[in-house]
Amino acid sequence: DEVQVGTGVDGADAEACLEGESTYYGTEDPTVEDWEPAEDAKGDPIEGSGDGYAWGVFTLVYISEDGEETELVDYTECREIPGDDAVVIIFASAPPDLYNDHLDQVLDVADSIEIEGETLVPGSEETEEPEETVEPEDDGETGLSGSLFTSPAFGFSVEIPSHWQIVDERLDDDNEELLLT
């Protein structure tokens, strides 16, 4: 189970972002096969969008370096960063039988994203109090301070609940990525 929170400066269009992510994983990522939009009981894609955000659920087969194939379900969401030509991308992956429980935990992290003191939760006007967290060591140069990650380039912040662990963090001029498990 993993979740990634990242940013990109390819434009602040959430629907175009989601389409771009889907195109990349469906055609360009060599570790992904059979990338398809997940469908509901009626056969319709499981997706949604609104003012400043778009999300979709996808099924795939992940191919590891040693050739092992794993069926996964991915949740991808793009949220526009107000006043910036950029988006926050939330990408979560889990085996099909764990997906629903995993998504609830992912959305707990995603719903803690704040920009300039306001939550960046689609359709929500309220700020929720973050749950109690474990304080990892401070690493001020990377954007991480305790359990709070603050984007150096884009200014958004993410509260990392204690049951999540930071696996990787990448920051460069145009993109930032935080990988949690």
Side-chain angles (χ1 to χ4, degrees), residues 17-60:
C17 165
L18 183 62
E19 184 176 319
E21 291 294 298
S22 182
T23 298
Y24 171 76
Y25 289 107
T27 62
E28 297 177 36
D29 188 329
T31 65
V32 173
E33 289 185 354
D34 302 326
W35 176 270
E36 298 288 333
E39 296 178 347
D40 64 17
K42 296 179 183 178
D44 296 323
I46 302 172
E47 60 185 10
S49 63
D51 188 26
Y53 71 96
W55 61 270
V57 179
F58 304 89
T59 59
L60 67 131

Side-chain angles (χ1 to χ4, degrees), residues 55-104:
W55 61 270
V57 179
F58 304 89
T59 59
L60 67 131
V61 174
Y62 172 76
I63 313 290
S64 69
E65 289 181 12
D66 63 2
E68 185 177 331
E69 295 184 2
T70 305
E71 288 186 31
L72 295 172
V73 178
D74 285 357
Y75 172 83
T76 303
E77 180 179 334
C78 297
R79 297 181 187 181
E80 297 170 9
I81 298 175
D84 211 332
D85 193 26
V87 292
V88 172
I89 303 169
I90 301 157
F91 180 82
S93 189
D97 60 331
L98 301 175
Y99 175 76
N100 289 331
D101 290 335
H102 178 68
L103 183 62
D104 289 340

Side-chain angles (χ1 to χ4, degrees), residues 142-165:
T142 66
L144 183 64
S145 177
S147 63
L148 184 67
F149 173 83
T150 301
S151 161
F154 298 97
F156 72 87
S157 63
V158 177
E159 185 70 33
I160 302 166
S162 60
H163 57 275
W164 288 92
Q165 178 182 21

